[in-house]
């Protein structure tokens, strides 16, 4: 059997998992909106996700997959949050081929066909005491290679040591059953990946990140990817539940807007997923869903 035939079922399982994780997160976030204990924004209507289909088209205009874009704006808790899932396919362009070849992806220039599926989430909050957050997990396949990637990282404008500790401890608890070496490895990777060189600082307080994960054991790598996804809600939701009722003033809101400018800079200049999505013709609105609704530069 060819790798294409062997991986037909695996691709379906991976994309199905990303969709089920999306459904769980959307339900949890709408549940936060429904709470009566939402602090300064309690008088606003509870937010709901607007869901639309996304499409990717190949260079000749033919269908090349797509997904769902789910965005909530102006809620009690979330000022803007997007939870996207996709499964796309096609042929990589020259620039993408060279980039992946430079990363050591085997055979990409001989056969540049690809398939990719994943979930991507970014949340920007109403209350500046609530941290912004990013999470994604994904699987990438070519006829000569496959890998998993993803992680999650916390991006507070007002930092609380106990919140950072909870976020990291929850992720470590989900990684340790796979290997006690994984959490320090993926934390270090996140610290390096989510660093903004032109600002000489990190984007937030870190988390975990991996890419090009292929140990040769697809089942083990898929299980790890699932646990990275499972860690997200217990790592993040308790922080929102605790901070959403905190009072704030103009100074805190100003700090939030400035930090959002930092987030936008990183995503537009450095983020690998943003670059890949735009370069391969995916829906631009879905790719740029990560950008905050309002930001400020000083």
């Amino acid at each position: 059997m060819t790798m294409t035939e062997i991986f037909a079922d695996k691709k379906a399982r991976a994309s199905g998992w990303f969709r089920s994780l999306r459904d769980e997160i959307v339900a949890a976030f709408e549940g936060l909106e429904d709470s009566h204990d939402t602090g300064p924004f309690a008088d606003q209507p509870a937010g709901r996700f607007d869901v639309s289909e996304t499409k990717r088209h190949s260079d000749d205009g033919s269908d090349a997959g797509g997904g769902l874009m789910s965005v909530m704006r102006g809620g009690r808790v979330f000022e803007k949050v997007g939870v996207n899932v996709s499964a796309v396919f096609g042929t990589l362009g020259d620039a993408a081929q060279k980039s992946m070849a430079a990363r050591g992806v085997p055979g990409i220039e001989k056969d540049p066909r690809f398939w990719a599926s994943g979930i991507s989430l970014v949340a920007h909050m109403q209350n500046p005491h609530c941290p912004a957050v990013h999470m994604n997990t994904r699987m990438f396949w070519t006829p000569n290679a496959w890998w998993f990637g993803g992680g999650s990282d916390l991006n507070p404008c007002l930092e609380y040591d106990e919140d950072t500790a909870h976020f990291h401890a929850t992720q470590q608890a989900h990684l340790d059953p796979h290997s006690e070496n994984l959490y320090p490895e993926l934390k270090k990777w996140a610290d390096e990946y989510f660093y903004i060189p032109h600002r000489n600082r990190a984007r937030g307080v870190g988390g975990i990140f991996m890419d090009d994960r292929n140990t040769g054991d697809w089942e083990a790598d898929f299980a790890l990817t699932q646990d990275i996804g499972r860690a997200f809600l217990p790592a993040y939701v308790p922080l929102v539940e605790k901070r959403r009722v905190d009072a704030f003033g103009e100074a805190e809101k100003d700090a939030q807007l400035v930090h959002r400018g930092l987030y936008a800079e990183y995503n537009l200049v450095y983020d690998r997923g943003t670059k890949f999505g735009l370069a391969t013709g995916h829906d631009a609105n879905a790719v740029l869903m990560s950008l905050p609704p309002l930001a400020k530069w000083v």
Side-chain angles (χ1 to χ4, degrees), residues 22 26-35 44-51 69-82:
R22 173 262 176 206
V26 164
F29 281 5
E30 289 189 343
L32 286 171
E33 287 286 321
D34 288 336
S35 172
Q44 293 186 189
R48 286 293 179 268
F49 282 94
D50 293 323
V51 182
M69 178 171 65
S70 305
V71 181
M72 183 197 303
R73 296 178 177 88
R76 294 170 171 172
V77 178
F78 298 94
E79 186 170 358
K80 180 187 176 185
V81 54

Side-chain angles (χ1 to χ4, degrees), residues 99-220:
S99 174
M100 291 187 178
R103 283 162 46 196
V105 178
I108 197 69
E109 292 172 312
K110 293 181 180 178
D111 192 337
R113 290 176 294 158
F114 80 96
W115 176 93
S117 182
I119 176 173
S120 179
L121 175 156
V122 176
H124 298 289
M125 314 305 290
Q126 290 280 24
N127 193 320
H129 292 284
C130 290
V133 73
H134 157 260
M135 186 278 293
N136 78 82
T137 59
R138 59 190 177 274
M139 175 189 162
F140 201 95
W141 171 93
T142 76
N144 295 296
W146 58 265
W147 67 89
F148 291 95
S152 60
D153 64 295
L154 199 66
N155 297 270
C157 66
L158 305 172
E159 297 183 13
Y160 295 94
D161 290 343
E162 62 269 34
D163 292 4
T164 300
H166 170 83
F167 190 78
H168 281 270
T170 305
Q171 294 183 96
Q172 182 173 3
H174 283 74
L175 294 185
D176 280 353
H178 298 271
S179 169
E180 292 186 357
N181 296 323
L182 267 174
Y183 170 72
E185 175 188 339
L186 300 193
K187 179 187 181 300
K188 181 175 182 292
W189 201 335
D191 290 341
E192 294 172 351
Y193 182 72
F194 296 113
Y195 187 79
I196 306 175
H198 68 268
R199 296 293 187 184
N200 297 313
R201 60 156 293 173
R203 185 174 78 175
V205 295
I208 54 174
F209 179 77
M210 68 177 186
D211 210 353
D212 303 336
R213 178 79 181 184
N214 180 338
T215 64
D217 186 336
W218 187 91
E219 294 291 348

Side-chain angles (χ1 to χ4, degrees), residues 53-54 86 88 97 126 278 295:
E53 292 188 0
T54 61
S86 64
V88 298
Q97 291 179 44
Q126 290 280 24
L278 294 176

Side-chain angles (χ1 to χ4, degrees), residues 60 90 94 126 206 224 273:
D60 62 6
D94 291 341
Q126 290 280 24
L224 170 61

